[in-house]
Amino acid sequence: MPGKKRVLTLAALFVVAGLLLVACAAPTAPSAQPAVSEDAAPVAGGELTIGLGSEPETLDPGDAVYVQEQFILMNLFDSLLSMSPDGELHPGLASAWEANDDYSAFTFTMRQDVTFHDGTPLTAAAVKASFDHIVSDAVLESGGKTLLVDHQYVETEVVDDYTAVVKFAAPYPTFLRDAARQWLSISSPAALEQYGTDYGRNPVGTGPFRFVQWDAQSQVVLERNPDYNWAPEFAAHQGPALLDQVIFRFLPEAATRLTAYQTGEILVASEPPALDAIALADAGEGVLETFAQPGIPAIMMINTEKAPTDDINVRKAMIHALNHEEFVQTVFQQLGIPSYSVLSPTTWSFDEEAASLYRYDPEEAARLLAESGWTDSDGDGILDKDGEKLTIDYITSPIWEEAFNELLAGYLTQAGFDVQMRAMDDAGIAAEATAGAYSMLYIYWTRADPSPLRILFHSENIDGGAAYTRFRDAELDRVLADGDTQIDEDVRKQDYITAQRIIMENALVLPMFTVNTTYLNAPAVQNFGFDVEGYPFIYDIALSE
């Protein structure tokens, strides 16, 4: 698992669905999971065991970065606001909220009937304690710290016991949406003080489940919070959760998760081998649940400063060289979704025009490369110019890209590229990315809003940041900066449409696929659903008899 000392942006971007690692596995025999009739009624109680591909580093929401952490945290903690699967905001721990005219200060009226798992009541002071903790020196880097610090968090003012005003030094028009995210959920002030640096192993929230134990390299156990009576208004039921207990088992190998599913050791397998999962679902021995994640799809960011990818024709040829549909079908079978732009189609402001600029066209790729003077002078299939091969320096992580990196390199090789793959760990990739020593590198970023585009493409983030294309353009910088602070939604949408078109017209990225979260569930698992970012909503899940 990547270490927390690495660059935060890379840490967030490389948390890739385990499906990428296992999609090409061969199918096995049908499982012994019992079939459940379609009219079997869900009942309260029972234990749900979920197999995850990796273990969290912390259960402190203010210190968290990774996908596996958020999945667990959303069951332990609540946020100020809740966001329904359709992206609409609803009350959470705050029953009412209001922004000032320039969206730099936000007033929250807190519910008065909420208690933390340790019995302490929720007050406005908990909001201040939680946000102050996130920006403190106790948290080196985290998703929440990035959100608050990058938007110039000033303070949280406690007006009275149930009124808090969160203040920023600049407009933050997306804060209300971010206030619904797990990274900014609210912790018990008493527990933060009691556990100090050990709070990440002793989390105390207000969520539908409370923490029981964490057995390192094995499992995290949660139990139902019997006092829970403040579920989001869009939930399928109110009151305590239906399950008695939830156990998250850490099973790094996809084959191990599949075996555990087939033997009944787990009822939910995250990111199963695609062929196995499809076969089991077709045989009626499981239910496949998938979610196309919003945000930045799986892309290769192309370095525009380093030859030969400093040439726009070379970058365009790389995109035309990839047969997206064949590529995704090979890697993911029918579970894959090709991507042709820098935003996934499920993201607000997605622009069809930007996504229509490139399709598989090997003839056009050859024409572009010939136009730039690249020829196969010695007949070896690799293009060259002035004695130099058309070399792509591809830094790759076997952990995250094993399922597709060789196949991707194969498509580029067919187009005449000399693809040099340099496999390394996350620390190595972070170092090379910082130095600009690569032709392309892989990322994706799950978020319902397009705001990560500024982090990835504004030139202010080239040195020491995550603008790995290293592209400098005044108009792109302008619309990305405006989109980050613009309070007029129509203007903001146009900013991001313009940004998508500039990015794709200049071939800054090689889009590959939309990240598709996949779970294989036993037929007994009822009421399974996803939140707006693709995390399973366990609160409503029940087990049928």
Side-chain angles (χ1 to χ4, degrees):
M1 182 185 302
K4 285 294 291 293
K5 291 185 179 180
R6 64 175 304 176
V7 179
L8 172 62
T9 46
L10 272 176
L13 303 177
F14 280 106
V15 182
V16 182
L19 179 59
L20 308 184
L21 308 181
V22 300
C24 296
T28 60
S31 75
Q33 286 284 359
V36 176
S37 65
E38 292 184 1
D39 57 354
V43 295
E47 176 184 288
L48 180 69
T49 305
I50 302 170
L52 298 182
S54 55
E55 183 173 8
E57 288 198 356
T58 180
L59 292 179
D60 173 358
D63 196 28
V65 171
Y66 300 106
V67 168
Q68 65 271 22
E69 293 164 350
Q70 292 198 64
F71 187 5
I72 300 175
L73 290 169
M74 66 186 293
N75 301 289
L76 292 170
F77 293 87
D78 296 307
S79 300
L80 289 170
L81 304 180
S82 297
M83 192 181 303
S84 58
D86 63 4
E88 293 296 316
L89 288 174
H90 297 264
L93 294 180
S95 58
W97 59 94
E98 182 180 6
N100 67 353
D101 289 342
D102 70 349
Y103 285 74
S104 64
F106 303 83
T107 302
F108 295 94
T109 302
M110 309 302 294
R111 293 183 62 128
Q112 299 185 25
D113 59 346
V114 177
T115 56
F116 288 97
H117 300 152
D118 59 7
T120 59
L122 171 73
T123 66
V127 180
K128 177 177 175 58
S130 296
F131 288 179
D132 287 356
H133 164 67
I134 292 172
V135 301
S136 72
D137 292 341
V139 175
L140 296 180
E141 53 189 21
S142 72
K145 189 160 192 171
T146 297
L147 292 175
L148 295 182
V149 172
D150 283 2
H151 290 93
Q152 302 177 53
Y153 173 77
V154 175
E155 65 171 342
T156 297
E157 177 188 355
V158 178
V159 178
D160 57 42
D161 283 350
Y162 296 103
T163 307
V165 181
V166 184
K167 300 179 180 180
F168 297 88
Y172 187 176
T174 60
F175 176 66
L176 292 175
R177 298 180 69 82
D178 287 339
R181 306 185 76 199
Q182 290 307 310
W183 285 343
L184 296 182
S185 54
I186 307 303
S187 291
S188 162
L192 285 171
E193 182 175 357
Q194 176 183 352
Y195 293 109
T197 57
D198 292 329
Y199 178 66
R201 292 273 174 166
N202 298 276
V204 179
T206 60
F209 295 90
R210 57 194 183 192
F211 177 77
V212 176
Q213 67 190 63
W214 183 345
D215 301 318
Q217 300 181 340
S218 177
Q219 64 184 9
V220 163
V221 180
L222 313 182
E223 66 181 6
R224 176 169 51 193
N225 175 8
D227 300 322
Y228 192 72
N229 197 31
W230 43 88
E233 56 192 9
F234 55 82
H237 79 285
Q238 295 294 309
L242 301 177
L243 296 166
D244 287 331
Q245 195 171 71
V246 181
I247 299 175
F248 295 91
R249 291 284 314 281
F250 311 133
L251 304 171
E253 299 298 326
T256 304
R257 293 197 297 279
L258 184 69
T259 299
Y261 175 85
Q262 292 176 302
T263 60
E265 182 182 343
I266 62 176
L267 295 179
V268 176
S270 68
E271 312 304 345
L275 293 178
D276 294 282
I278 293 166
L280 291 169
D282 287 347
E285 300 293 339
V287 178
L288 266 179
E289 300 282 359
T290 64
F291 184 91
Q293 294 182 353
I296 312 297
I299 61 175
M300 287 291 164
M301 297 189 75
I302 305 174
N303 188 344
T304 63
E305 288 186 346
K306 180 180 178 181
T309 52
D310 57 344
D311 181 347
I312 189 171
N313 280 357
V314 171
R315 300 195 299 271
K316 287 182 176 181
M318 291 170 68
I319 305 175
H320 284 303
L322 178 62
N323 187 334
H324 290 75
E325 300 218 355
E326 183 180 80
F327 173 76
V328 168
Q329 173 65 24
T330 301
V331 177
F332 303 115
Q333 307 303 308
Q334 63 257 46
L335 300 181
I337 305 172
S339 181
Y340 298 97
S341 188
V342 71
L343 288 181
S344 69
T346 54
T347 311
W348 177 81
S349 80
F350 171 78
D351 181 49
E352 288 282 0
E353 181 177 320
S356 68
L357 292 176
Y358 304 93
R359 289 297 184 271
Y360 176 56
D361 191 341
E363 290 78 16
E364 177 64 7
R367 187 195 68 77
L368 288 164
L369 292 172
E371 185 178 277
S372 288
W374 293 98
T375 62
D376 185 4
S377 64
D378 57 7
D380 66 351
I382 299 301
L383 302 182
D384 56 85
K385 181 172 66 172
D386 300 328
E388 297 290 334
K389 291 183 177 181
L390 182 58
T391 299
I392 298 298
D393 179 16
Y394 176 15
I395 55 175
T396 180
S397 166
I399 295 176
W400 309 122
E401 302 166 63
E402 181 181 33
F404 65 84
N405 55 11
E406 294 280 0
L407 184 60
L408 174 63
Y411 280 107
L412 295 176
T413 300
Q414 285 181 349
F417 290 91
D418 171 37
V419 182
Q420 296 295 318
M421 294 174 54
R422 291 195 287 143
M424 56 188 67
D425 60 16
D426 291 336
I429 289 179
E432 295 293 79
T434 300
Y438 56 90
S439 298
M440 66 180 188
L441 59 77
Y442 168 62
I443 68 149
Y444 90 92
W445 192 322
T446 299
R447 192 165 182 187
D449 189 82
S451 52
L453 289 176
R454 178 172 184 171
I455 297 172
L456 295 176
F457 295 98
H458 195 291
S459 64
E460 67 188 0
N461 297 315
I462 290 176
D463 296 318
Y468 301 123
T469 68
R470 309 183 74 83
F471 183 73
R472 303 173 193 272
D473 182 87
E475 177 63 5
L476 180 58
D477 285 351
R478 184 192 70 79
V479 295
L480 291 177
D482 189 63
D484 213 30
T485 57
Q486 177 61 246
I487 62 177
D488 184 316
E489 283 287 276
D490 291 335
V491 175
R492 186 168 184 263
K493 183 176 183 179
Q494 188 57 51
D495 282 337
Y496 287 117
I497 288 174
T498 300
Q500 291 169 73
R501 293 178 184 178
I502 293 173
I503 290 166
M504 295 312 300
E505 286 167 0
N506 287 278
L508 304 185
V509 301
L510 168 54
M512 294 183 294
F513 52 88
T514 295
V515 176
N516 206 20
T517 298
T518 304
Y519 292 86
L520 178 64
N521 298 342
V525 177
Q526 305 290 300
N527 306 332
F528 189 94
F530 293 100
D531 74 358
V532 70
E533 291 190 340
Y535 296 102
F537 194 57
I538 295 178
Y539 168 72
D540 278 331
I541 289 179
L543 300 177
S544 59
E545 294 182 314

